[in-house]
Amino acid sequence: MNAIFQGDEKFLRHALNLANHGIGLVSPNPCVGAVLIGTDGEIVGEGFHTHAGVKHAEILALEHAGERTKGATLYINLEPCSHHGRTGPCADALIKAGVSRVVACIQDPNPAVAGAGFRRLRDAGIDVNVGILAAEARHLNEAFAKYIRTSQPLVTLKSAMSLDGMIARAGIPGQHYVTGEAARAHVQELRHQSDAILIGIGTALADDPLLTDRTGLPRRRPLLRVVLDSHLRLKADSRLAKTAQNDLVVFYSSDDEHQADKLRSQGICLEKISESEGLLDIDAVIGKLGSFQITSLVVEGGSRVNAALLASGVVDKMFLYFTAKIFGGGVPFIANEFKLDAPVALNSVRFHQFGDDFAVEGYLRDPYAVART
């Protein structure tokens, strides 16, 4: 790593803050923010990427700076690209503009880049520094990292439960909140960060949810609502069915094509999937979602869905909310009839506080280290 100059972390954090503006707007691309600092130490250009805007953050920053790019320093959360995609290589544009130094958080996990951008900059005589605020940068683009290497979404299993591991109290029908308002508001943030949300038919029938992103923040495309429903039990008058506008996908295995046609007539996309050991093939579900360019999936299922996904090995991370209460019985986090072959261990664990509630965030595997496909 090259020498760290005064202000590097400050300007990189500004670039990361800009990159955060792309959440909900960039998928299937990464969130990227760029800041250009002139030779006088002042900001001369900045920008962040949005998928609809096409231009990358670096190009927007260069355009903003105009003729003040010569000798400038670029601060950016992700390695500048070196290949032709929807745009030309940003590394070449930086070289042409006369930028003298590039400070970046992390290397691009895209195999088409993967250090090539940094090499091109260094070969042109540009000073390149990599690694400051790396953890924050990795967290921001973890879904992109998983998707670009595997063509499959980052799968986050979310659940709220009591201290004794119950996701609902026994004998109380309908939807009841386990945690308080602060934790539930954060759940909406998780939804906004995700391309899709998945539940099982049991949750759909018991709670009649809408599964919407209620943050009010802009999205490039609607949150895709996904239901696992082997036997097509989703009710035509459910809130999900009645609000379907090409944003609801039901995975099923039933041969009842009459019911399938009925649901399709309501604007619901149906995907027939084979079964594995009496359950829908979860690997096939995740693969199909990847083909829809879904880079991130949050799962808010019941105990059977939780067990099925953990047993299938598709879960990348977990976000578990806890209320400081003991229910003394009820619906467990994992259905009693399921047994995992081995304990599930979380790594890189973070703790979050939401009023009297708290949450545990952790990874079953590193999204940046999964095998390429």
Side-chain angles (χ1 to χ4, degrees):
M1 182 181 292
N2 297 336
I4 298 175
F5 292 87
Q6 184 176 5
D8 280 357
E9 182 172 332
K10 169 188 170 182
F11 292 125
L12 264 185
R13 194 166 296 283
H14 183 45
L16 273 167
N17 288 338
L18 287 172
N20 272 279
H21 290 304
I23 293 174
L25 299 173
V26 299
S27 179
N29 294 337
C31 292
V32 183
V35 181
L36 274 171
I37 304 300
T39 54
D40 60 356
E42 299 297 323
I43 294 177
V44 296
E46 60 183 36
F48 64 91
H49 176 62
T50 62
H51 188 275
V54 179
K55 291 181 180 178
H56 289 186
E58 304 95 306
I59 303 304
L60 293 172
L62 289 172
E63 291 179 351
H64 184 196
E67 298 180 356
R68 296 173 291 176
T69 59
K70 189 170 180 61
T73 296
L74 173 74
Y75 291 90
I76 190 166
N77 60 297
L78 192 69
E79 175 184 7
C81 66
S82 57
H83 66 295
H84 286 273
R86 294 197 302 163
T87 65
C90 290
D92 290 353
L94 294 168
I95 294 168
K96 184 178 179 179
V99 170
S100 65
R101 184 168 180 255
V102 172
V103 184
C105 295
I106 59 173
Q107 177 176 297
D108 194 331
N110 184 351
V113 184
F118 290 145
R119 286 193 296 273
R120 187 171 296 188
L121 294 171
R122 289 185 174 116
D123 288 346
I126 295 175
D127 180 28
V128 177
N129 187 299
V130 186
I132 304 172
L133 301 181
E136 291 93 328
R138 286 169 61 88
H139 190 267
L140 175 62
N141 279 314
E142 61 189 16
F144 170 75
K146 167 76 183 296
Y147 180 78
I148 200 65
R149 296 167 66 89
T150 67
S151 298
Q152 294 185 352
L154 179 85
V155 179
T156 300
L157 180 58
K158 167 264 169 186
S159 189
M161 67 188 83
S162 62
L163 292 178
D164 52 345
M166 301 295 141
I167 61 175
R169 294 181 64 188
I172 302 178
Q175 188 174 21
H176 295 273
Y177 296 119
V178 173
T179 55
E181 290 185 6
R184 298 201 303 273
H186 187 263
V187 170
Q188 294 301 317
E189 292 182 25
L190 285 186
R191 290 184 181 186
H192 181 67
Q193 296 165 14
S194 304
D195 291 338
I197 180 171
L198 181 148
I199 63 170
I201 186 59
T203 299
L205 294 176
D207 296 346
D208 192 22
L210 273 173
L211 303 181
T212 51
D213 171 2
R214 296 191 285 278
T215 61
L217 299 172
R219 301 183 63 96
R220 184 176 78 84
R221 52 185 177 177
L223 180 66
L224 184 68
R225 302 175 292 173
V226 182
V227 181
L228 304 182
D229 183 11
S230 299
H231 305 295
L232 294 176
R233 293 189 290 151
L234 184 67
K235 295 179 179 179
D237 62 350
S238 66
R239 295 202 294 171
L240 283 170
K242 289 192 296 184
T243 58
Q245 294 183 335
N246 298 315
D247 62 349
L248 177 60
V249 178
V250 174
F251 287 95
Y252 74 107
S253 58
S254 170
D255 292 326
D256 187 350
E257 289 306 312
H258 174 73
Q259 176 66 1
D261 289 340
K262 183 178 178 181
L263 292 174
R264 288 191 186 98
S265 70
Q266 293 185 254
I268 301 171
C269 174
L270 265 65
E271 293 287 341
K272 194 168 187 177
I273 295 290
S274 61
E275 289 192 355
S276 176
E277 298 182 359
L279 299 170
L280 287 175
D281 187 335
I282 299 298
D283 286 323
V285 169
I286 299 302
K288 179 60 70 171
L289 291 175
S291 73
F292 296 159
Q293 288 196 324
I294 298 299
T295 67
S296 50
L297 171 70
V298 60
V299 178
E300 296 189 15
S303 56
R304 289 179 59 84
V305 167
N306 293 342
L309 265 75
L310 286 171
S312 70
V314 302
V315 178
D316 296 293
K317 67 179 292 187
M318 299 176 73
F319 214 111
L320 304 177
Y321 300 83
F322 291 88
T323 182
K325 299 176 183 177
I326 295 173
F327 286 177
V331 180
F333 171 64
I334 293 180
N336 292 325
E337 63 266 33
F338 286 89
K339 300 297 180 185
L340 299 179
D341 293 334
V344 174
L346 298 183
N347 301 297
S348 303
V349 173
R350 300 182 183 187
F351 295 92
H352 307 267
Q353 189 81 33
F354 303 102
D356 290 333
D357 303 320
F358 66 95
V360 176
E361 177 187 14
Y363 296 81
L364 281 73
R365 55 172 164 256
D366 182 356
Y368 287 81
V370 289
R372 300 174 185 174
T373 58

